[in-house]
């Protein structure tokens, strides 16, 4: 079946089977940040933004994005590099396998929640699995990133 959608702000067309998963289509299109992990919608490695909201691409049929906007980490390279520096600064990148899905969820959270506290951050990111850590360093990096962003806007709060 033919379909078209927006991938990282570029209009794309694809020929897909009715059972093609979004994850597989995105990887075929060169979006290798989208990773296959558990294949049961439990780890968050395959997270992408669909119309600005996080979705698990391993459990979504590709045809469901017909005419919609999908963003992967490849489409947020500048933002990801900026936040990635905070992850590295807290020693939270370790193996890095979970980082793309984690980062996509962080950016979705920052659009959805105003000035989240540590508990809200942990709750929002509960669907992400990291086998290297318990998200302690990741949580610290998010809080530091939030303070940095607030400081740049002249709204710094300690």
């Amino acid at each position: 079946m033919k379909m078209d959608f927006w991938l990282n702000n570029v209009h794309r067309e694809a020929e897909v089977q009715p059972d093609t998963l979004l994850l597989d289509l995105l990887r075929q299109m060169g979006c290798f940040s989208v990773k296959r992990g558990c294949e049961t919608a439990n780890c968050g490695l395959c997270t992408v933004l669909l119309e600005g909201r996080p979705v698990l691409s391993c459990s979504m049929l590709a045809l469901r994005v017909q005419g919609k906007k999908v963003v992967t980490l490849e489409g947020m390279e500048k933002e990801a590099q900026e936040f990635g520096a905070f992850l590295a600064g807290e020693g939270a990148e370790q193996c890095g396998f979970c980082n793309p899905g984690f980062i996509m969820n962080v950016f979705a959270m920052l659009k959805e929640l105003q000035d989240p506290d540590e508990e809200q951050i942990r709750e929002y990111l509960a669907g992400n699995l990291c086998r290297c850590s318990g998200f302690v360093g990741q949580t610290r990096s998010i809080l530091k990133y939030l303070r940095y962003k607030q400081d740049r806007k002249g709204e710094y709060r300690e």
Side-chain angles (χ1 to χ4, degrees), residues 9-122:
N9 294 317
V10 176
H11 186 258
R12 303 290 299 264
E13 293 181 357
E15 182 74 33
V16 298
Q17 297 300 314
D19 63 347
T20 300
L21 293 174
L22 180 57
L23 167 73
D24 295 324
L25 176 62
L26 295 174
R27 289 187 62 83
Q28 288 170 10
M29 294 184 142
C31 296
F32 298 114
S33 69
V34 185
K35 296 184 177 154
R36 185 178 309 280
C38 65
E39 297 188 70
T40 59
N42 285 308
C43 70
L45 293 177
C46 64
T47 302
V48 299
L49 301 181
L50 175 60
E51 299 290 319
R53 303 193 63 85
V55 297
L56 299 170
S57 63
C58 76
S59 61
M60 176 173 280
L61 293 174
L63 287 169
R64 294 203 52 207
V65 304
Q66 168 65 32
K68 296 182 180 173
K69 295 178 181 175
V70 176
V71 177
T72 67
L73 199 60
E74 287 85 356
M76 302 183 75
E77 193 171 332
K78 182 180 176 193
E79 298 94 335
Q81 286 178 345
E82 181 180 58
F83 177 66
F86 286 84
L87 279 173
E90 292 301 316
E93 77 282 10
Q94 293 188 24
C95 83
F97 194 70
C98 69
N99 284 355
F102 173 76
I103 291 170
M104 296 306 290
N105 272 311
V106 167
F107 286 129
M109 177 190 68
L110 295 178
K111 286 182 181 180
E112 188 176 322
L113 302 179
Q114 290 291 331
D115 198 21
D117 61 25
E118 193 169 332
E119 184 177 328
Q120 289 173 305
I121 291 168
R122 280 195 306 268

